[in-house]
Structures are given as structure tokens and as C-alpha cells.
Amino acid sequence: MQCPMCRAPDSRVVDSRIGKDGDAIRRRRHCDGCSHRFTTYERVELTLPMVVKKDGRRQPFDRGKILSGLTRACEKRPVSTDTIEALAAQIERQMSERGESEITSREIGEVVMAALHELDAVAYVRFASVYREFRDVHEFMRELEDLIATRSTDSRRAQAARVAPGAGHSRR
């Protein structure tokens, strides 16, 4: 592995560990040329589909674009970088597991929106406002109303689930 500092062609591995999620090997390396230490990651290369854009162009799936969109949506929100990274990896895996040779950018956007809907309401709305290209405030408000209705329903279900376990038990 080439040293990123001095560009020496060889470096040696001084430590190897499995990454946090178990999907990569983290290697600490030492350059014999300049003594710089650096880290590399070894990951399985997934077979990813080509993405069919709105205008019909095709381009390779790019995890970096997913990560960038998630990062922008979650900016200044209480969402950790690790969570964003894990979500991007999950979406990438999901696209790979479909086994399709092509997938539309619309399908990817819907998967990202569903993930953000579960993660953070504000990040979801941010992403949706760019992704759905709202033409006016009324469309945006309808999306917010749907989000509020969904959150209210989810909250009532969660509350009912907390109450339900005790229901039906009688004292003797």
C-alpha cells in the first residue's frame, strides 16, 4: 500500500481489527520510508445496480451521494456521524441485495426518505423538500400534515402498547 505522505510504494501492517459493524477490516500501517502511520479499510465490494436518473441517463450507484444527502438533511440535528454512516451502509446493502442490474433514482430516494422518516422528522422534511421538488407551500404543508398525522398515530400505538400488557390481568 502506497504511503499517503511520501508516496513510498510499500508499507507494513502493524495491526488489523474487524471494523465496528463487522463489515470491514481496519488495518494500521507503518511506512518504512517516512515512519508515518495511517489507517486503511478493507471492505467487500458489493455488486451494485446502475442508477437510472430522471432524464434517462445511467450512472453507477454512488454511496457517497447517499451519504452526502443524509449528511445535509441531518445537519445541526442530534444525529451522530456513526448513525449517518450506518444508514448509508444499510441503504447500499439494501440496493445490492435487490439483485437488480438497474434501479431508478426515485426508488433510492424513497428508501432514503423512509429511513429518515424513522430517524428524525426534521431531517426527513429537509430531504423531502429537496427530493420531491415542491412547487408551492401547499404541497409542502400537505407533506408536513402527513408527517404529523403519522407521528401522532405512531405515538398513540406506542402508548396503547405500554398500557395493553397490564390490561386483562385481574387481581385475585
Side-chain angles (χ1 to χ4, degrees):
M1 173 69 57
Q2 186 180 48
C3 174
M5 294 300 284
C6 73
R7 303 286 184 219
D10 294 316
S11 62
R12 59 188 161 90
V13 175
V14 293
D15 183 39
S16 288
R17 296 180 186 197
I18 294 177
K20 291 179 190 173
D21 299 326
D23 63 349
I25 296 175
R26 177 182 176 271
R27 300 193 194 283
R28 287 292 294 157
R29 295 180 173 270
H30 179 267
C31 175
D32 292 327
C34 68
S35 296
H36 178 69
R37 286 183 176 243
F38 58 100
T39 303
T40 60
Y41 291 89
E42 182 179 319
R43 288 186 169 79
V44 172
E45 188 172 323
L46 300 171
T47 304
L48 293 164
M50 290 295 284
V51 177
V52 180
K53 306 295 274 180
K54 288 179 190 176
D55 63 6
R57 288 179 299 126
R58 285 163 171 71
Q59 52 187 227
F61 182 91
D62 184 355
R63 180 179 185 272
K65 288 185 178 183
I66 302 290
L67 195 54
S68 173
L70 290 170
T71 301
R72 258 182 273 134
C74 295
E75 199 170 280
K76 296 183 182 177
R77 298 297 304 149
V79 179
S80 72
T81 304
D82 287 345
T83 300
I84 294 170
E85 286 279 346
L87 195 53
Q90 174 191 337
I91 292 168
E92 181 181 40
R93 225 176 1 266
Q94 193 175 345
M95 296 300 112
S96 175
E97 289 171 356
R98 291 176 89 159
E100 299 171 9
S101 59
E102 292 184 337
I103 188 165
T104 65
S105 57
R106 179 168 201 76
E107 291 173 284
I108 296 169
E110 293 297 328
V111 169
V112 171
M113 283 195 3
L116 285 172
H117 190 274
E118 294 295 315
L119 181 67
D120 185 271
V122 173
Y124 166 77
V125 171
R126 283 179 180 166
F127 188 86
S129 69
V130 173
Y131 174 71
R132 293 236 168 106
E133 299 174 340
F134 298 125
R135 287 183 288 263
D136 58 36
V137 173
H138 298 293
E139 287 182 14
F140 188 75
M141 288 303 294
R142 276 193 296 278
E143 186 70 33
L144 285 174
E145 287 164 358
D146 289 347
L147 175 66
I148 291 167
T150 302
R151 293 277 176 178
S152 295
T153 302
D154 291 348
S155 176
R156 282 193 297 273
R157 283 186 189 142
Q159 188 175 19
R162 285 191 299 269
V163 172
H169 292 291
S170 60
R171 292 185 181 187
R172 293 185 184 190

